[in-house]
Amino acid sequence: MKSLRALLAGLALAAMVLPATFGSGVAADYKAEYKLSTVLGKPFPWGIGGDRWAELVKEKTNGRINVKMYPGSSLVNGDQTKEFTALRQGVIDMAVGSTINWSPQVKELNLFSLPFLMPDHKAMDALTQGPVGKQLFDLLATKDVVPLAWGENGFREISNSKRAISKPEDLKGLKIRVVGSPLYLDTFTALGANPTQMSWADAQPALSTGAVDGQENPLAVFVAAKLPTLGQKHLTLWGYVADPLIFVVNKEVWASWSKEDQEAVRAAAVQAAAEEIAISRKGITAQDDSLLKDIAAQGVEVVQLTPDQQKAFQAATKAVYEKWAKQIGPDLVKSAETSIAARK
Ligand code: X2X
């Protein structure tokens, strides 16, 4: 009798517990929420991409994996150059991160910051979608993360509050805010500017108070952050570097998911990244320059360098390129140059 009661009690307990673990399809060791880090949120293309990834993951895993985006590098208190370390340590589960912000920990990612390496979007695609992209993903895979797809922040154009820039001498003495890789300090020093390193969170107040004169960021960021309202009235399209974004998952988190869910998260990343790249390039091409028109309509003086003017900036930063090519790895840089030369 006693054992029958115990059996019934056991069955009742199982009936309560089992649906919770298996009925919803969520494995017992899945977290209730996975934290996705980004620097920029919506309406920046970067944030739209992160949010879209979260949405697609939910859809493709039937709600088994619930991702929440934390923009503003808030999981690392705004210090975007600590994001990769936090990701490795599992403080962050997933990220859509810029190669620039991870460069302090992964020196090879400085590749994309070599001045005037990539002349256009096709060059960028030749790197990310070719052998260089694969080599970098293989490298990241040895550093506790699973890289899934390449996205894009974009070509970083220079703006300032003081004067039009069309030759290196125009940069002389300008205080320019740069991001966290020392390569940027070298580049702007070589150009005669006065670079100062700070996070994106600190950059906006510094621009609005005039503590710094200028900054460099993709046009989509320039517009979404309303930089013309912070005194940034001179913009030069010089296309000196571009930063891709990388969609990644912490390795242990990845290993905790079923094969089926891993593939769903990967497919979601690939789709969200492709959509994000299209958004980041919108309005800044020869076919569609609507974003540039918007910028000019905000009273910004836009300078488009001629090829000869661009060569002057390239010449002034050549030594920086050579110094950093050695640090990044001469073979990797050579392979990047070859991929770019062969681009279609
Ligand atoms: O801080 C920047 O300039 C930004 C937003 O572009 C990056 O995170 C690289």
Side-chain angles (χ1 to χ4, degrees):
M1 188 64 189
K2 199 170 172 212
S3 65
L4 181 63
R5 199 178 293 150
L7 180 69
L8 286 174
L11 282 175
L13 187 68
M16 274 159 59
V17 171
L18 283 176
T21 33
F22 300 111
S24 65
V26 174
D29 56 351
Y30 278 26
K31 297 187 194 180
E33 176 192 292
Y34 291 91
K35 293 179 166 38
L36 165 63
S37 175
T38 65
V39 176
L40 303 174
K42 291 203 260 186
F44 296 86
W46 190 337
I48 295 172
D51 220 50
R52 180 74 174 133
W53 188 21
E55 178 183 73
L56 287 169
V57 166
K58 186 171 210 158
E59 208 175 285
K60 290 182 193 290
T61 64
N62 291 322
R64 286 187 296 276
I65 295 179
N66 173 40
V67 178
K68 184 168 173 215
M69 183 170 83
Y70 289 79
S73 326
S74 60
L75 298 171
V76 281
N77 297 317
D79 189 350
Q80 62 213 56
T81 58
K82 302 263 158 67
E83 187 180 60
F84 192 75
T85 304
L87 191 55
R88 288 191 79 166
Q89 291 168 343
V91 176
I92 292 173
D93 299 310
M94 305 160 74
V96 179
S98 161
T99 48
I100 301 175
N101 296 329
W102 298 354
S103 290
Q105 291 83 35
V106 189
K107 69 175 188 335
E108 290 82 356
L109 293 180
N110 279 299
L111 176 73
F112 301 95
S113 302
L114 281 178
F116 303 101
L117 168 69
M118 297 175 288
D120 48 33
H121 285 127
K122 288 207 166 99
M124 207 169 169
D125 294 340
L127 297 188
T128 57
Q129 306 309 314
V132 168
K134 179 163 187 321
Q135 191 179 332
L136 290 171
F137 270 18
D138 289 347
L139 174 71
L140 286 170
T142 67
K143 297 182 188 290
D144 309 319
V145 298
V146 180
L148 299 175
W150 291 95
E152 187 160 312
N153 195 20
F155 276 93
R156 304 179 69 88
E157 315 296 4
I158 181 130
S159 73
N160 82 96
S161 59
K162 296 277 196 238
R163 55 180 175 260
I165 297 170
S166 58
K167 50 186 184 310
E169 296 75 54
D170 296 329
L171 267 162
K172 204 167 167 54
L174 287 183
K175 270 196 154 176
I176 305 292
R177 172 269 172 173
V178 294
V179 209
S181 167
L183 193 167
Y184 286 85
L185 295 176
D186 286 353
T187 298
F188 282 90
T189 303
L191 290 167
N194 183 3
T196 165
Q197 195 174 305
M198 64 181 77
S199 69
W200 175 246
D202 291 338
Q204 294 166 89
L207 289 167
S208 79
T209 59
V212 296
D213 304 315
Q215 62 87 47
E216 42 79 68
N217 248 298
L219 296 178
V221 176
F222 184 81
V223 170
K226 303 193 170 63
L227 295 191
T229 68
L230 304 184
Q232 297 296 292
K233 296 291 188 189
H234 304 281
L235 177 68
T236 294
L237 308 181
W238 64 340
Y240 84 127
V241 301
D243 53 328
L245 302 175
I246 308 178
F247 288 60
V248 298
V249 176
N250 165 282
K251 198 170 150 190
E252 274 177 29
V253 168
W254 179 260
S256 73
W257 292 336
S258 69
K259 279 267 159 321
E260 181 197 0
D261 285 340
Q262 288 175 349
E263 283 326 303
V265 172
R266 180 189 299 280
V270 169
Q271 184 179 336
E275 292 179 14
E276 191 276 334
I277 290 176
I279 299 169
S280 77
R281 292 181 185 180
K282 205 168 173 294
I284 58 168
T285 58
Q287 300 88 324
D288 167 20
D289 65 352
S290 50
L291 197 73
L292 281 165
K293 292 214 173 82
D294 270 12
I295 292 172
Q298 292 177 49
V300 175
E301 180 189 8
V302 183
V303 175
Q304 168 81 65
L305 295 187
T306 64
D308 275 347
Q309 286 174 326
Q310 203 191 37
K311 280 202 190 98
F313 286 91
Q314 192 168 4
T317 52
K318 191 163 178 278
V320 178
Y321 187 107
E322 280 159 8
K323 170 185 165 186
W324 279 87
K326 286 200 198 90
Q327 303 200 21
I328 291 162
D331 290 346
L332 181 61
V333 174
K334 195 90 254 94
S335 162
E337 290 167 347
T338 305
S339 292
I340 291 170
R343 77 192 182 281
K344 299 255 159 47

